[in-house]
Structures are given as structure tokens and as C-alpha cells.
């Protein structure tokens, strides 16, 4: 069980991340990494040319520098502004096979169950060769696509994903296809329960949650 504190993320930082995540490459979830080569795609569309529709973070709580709860009004924090596109209802839809789940916010289709505990390269190979739900264009997600699954308003990100239809082991760490800049032997990964990213040696083992550009 991980016992990590999820940091508050300022709107400015989060918007910067999502602008990169949603921009370029045809409006994908990020330019980092599908199939380990930089070809991610996510389906969040712009309202018009040059504009990007950013999703709301879901954060409702505002805090001071000591992480104590404060009144949100006039803080400029996410819980105050609530800026962005509202999440669809339902957020996720399980397909007819019961093996795949589509994120109705990003347009990405995910495997509901993880692909096992593997090294980074074996994870890439597994995802790239997967034939599931009638599709063969599966890949390992980049770190921004993994972060798109995180609901920052949830007390437990892993349980929130289970409640929304995923069936993988939520007390796990998921590989992304994104290598760490300047450190080719390491890649970014998502610690699911707290919903934060970390780095890990590619020679070690983490779980794989394949993704494709759905539906």
C-alpha cells in the first residue's frame, strides 16, 4: 500500500500540462510516446481553430501553503475557478465484449484489465502485439494519457477507477511509454492509488495498461 501525499496542483501548472497534452499531432493526448515513438492521440477537440477545450480537474477543495482547507472564493485555485469542459456522464463506457472501456472525455479506449507485470520493453512489445476487442492498434500510453485517468477530486484514485468500470489491480504502478529526458534507462510511470507520476528503471517491473485511439 502506498502512503503518499498528493500535492495540490496550481491551475497555471495544470493548464500548461494539458495544453501540451491536448495540442499538436492532430489534437492527441500528448506528443509523447505511442508505441514508444511519440505518436499519442486523445480526441479532446478544440472549440475552434487555435483553441483547446481543457477538461475541468474535478478539484473542489482549496488549501493554503500548509495544506489546510480554506474557503475557495478569490483564491484562483481550481476549486474556485472550476474552469474547463464538464466531464461527460457517464465518463467511461464498457464495450460489448466487457474487455475494453472508452473514456468519453478523451476518446481513448483502454483495456479494462492490465497486461501483467513486465519490464518496460516487454510492456511495449506486449501492448504493440495485443489483439483485443477487435482491434490491433494497441500501445503503451504516454504519461499524459495515464494522467488523464486521474480524478483529483477523488479521495482514492484507484477506487474511483474501479467504480467507473476498470478491473486492473489498483495498488499498482503503471508504465508509460515516456522516457525520462536525459535518462534513457528510466521511464515515467503512474502510481495509481495517489494518482501521481514517478520514474522507474526500465529494467525493473511495473504493470501495463494498454490504450488505443478509440472508439
Amino acid at each position: 500500500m502506498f502512503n503518499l501525499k498528493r500535492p495540490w496542483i496550481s491551475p497555471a501548472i495544470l493548464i500548461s500540462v494539458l495544453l501540451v497534452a491536448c495540442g499538436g499531432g492532430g489534437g492527441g493526448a500528448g506528443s509523447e510516446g505511442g508505441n514508444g515513438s511519440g505518436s499519442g492521440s486523445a480526441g479532446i477537440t478544440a472549440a475552434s481553430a487555435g483553441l483547446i477545450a481543457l477538461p475541468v480537474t474535478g478539484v473542489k477543495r482549496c488549501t493554503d501553503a500548509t495544506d489546510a482547507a480554506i474557503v475557495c472564493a478569490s483564491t484562483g485555485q481550481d476549486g474556485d475557478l472550476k474552469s474547463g469542459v464538464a466531464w461527460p456522464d457517464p465518463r467511461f463506457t464498457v464495450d460489448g465484449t466487457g474487455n475494453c472501456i472508452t473514456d468519453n472525455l478523451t476518446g481513448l479506449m483502454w483495456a479494462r484489465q492490465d497486461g501483467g507485470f513486465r519490464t518496460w520493453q516487454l510492456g511495449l512489445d506486449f501492448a504493440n502485439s495485443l489483439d483485443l476487442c477487435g482491434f490491433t492498434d494497441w500501445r503503451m500510453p504516454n504519461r499524459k494519457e495515464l494522467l488523464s485517468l486521474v480524478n483529483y477530486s477523488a479521495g482514492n484514485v484507484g477506487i474511483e477507477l474501479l467504480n467507473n468500470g476498470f478491473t486492473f489491480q489498483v495498488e499498482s504502478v503503471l508504465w508509460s511509454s515516456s522516457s525520462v529526458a536525459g535518462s534513457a534507462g528510466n521511464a515515467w510511470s503512474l502510481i495509481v492509488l495517489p494518482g501521481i507520476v514517478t520514474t522507474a528503471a526500465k529494467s525493473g517491473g511495473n504493470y501495463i495498461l494498454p490504450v488505443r485511439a478509440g472508439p
Side-chain angles (χ1 to χ4, degrees), residues 24-39:
S31 57
E32 306 177 30
N35 296 322
S37 60
S39 58

Side-chain angles (χ1 to χ4, degrees), residues 15-209:
I15 287 174
S16 297
V17 170
L18 289 174
L19 280 171
V20 175
C22 297
S31 57
E32 306 177 30
N35 296 322
S37 60
S39 58
S41 177
I44 298 178
T45 58
S48 60
L51 298 178
I52 297 172
L54 297 175
V56 296
T57 64
V59 173
K60 299 177 181 177
R61 180 175 181 263
C62 298
T63 60
D64 62 17
T66 67
D67 200 37
I70 59 175
V71 175
C72 284
S74 301
T75 62
Q77 296 181 24
D78 285 8
D80 171 27
L81 300 177
K82 299 181 176 66
S83 301
V85 177
W87 289 5
D89 185 16
R91 168 74 189 268
F92 299 96
T93 301
V94 177
D95 81 331
T97 72
N99 295 316
C100 299
I101 184 168
T102 296
D103 185 340
N104 298 314
L105 176 63
T106 65
L108 293 172
M109 177 180 283
W110 297 85
R112 293 182 72 196
Q113 181 60 41
D114 64 71
F117 189 79
R118 304 169 187 269
T119 64
W120 185 80
Q121 185 60 56
L122 289 178
L124 282 177
D125 296 341
F126 170 82
N128 291 346
S129 62
L130 185 62
D131 185 344
L132 185 68
C133 301
F135 301 100
T136 58
D137 57 345
W138 296 92
R139 55 185 171 77
M140 186 188 290
N142 64 49
R143 63 172 174 171
K144 295 166 187 173
E145 289 168 331
L146 283 178
L147 275 173
S148 74
L149 294 174
V150 175
N151 179 357
Y152 287 102
S153 69
N156 184 308
V157 174
I159 298 301
E160 177 79 2
L161 290 172
L162 290 181
N163 289 340
N164 278 279
F166 286 90
T167 58
F168 67 91
Q169 173 54 259
V170 296
E171 290 186 356
S172 64
V173 181
L174 300 174
W175 279 124
S176 84
S177 62
S178 306
S179 297
V180 177
S183 183
N186 294 281
W188 293 97
S189 56
L190 175 71
I191 304 175
V192 179
L193 285 182
I196 61 174
V197 291
T198 187
T199 62
K202 293 179 179 178
S203 58
N206 280 326
Y207 286 85
I208 314 302
L209 192 66

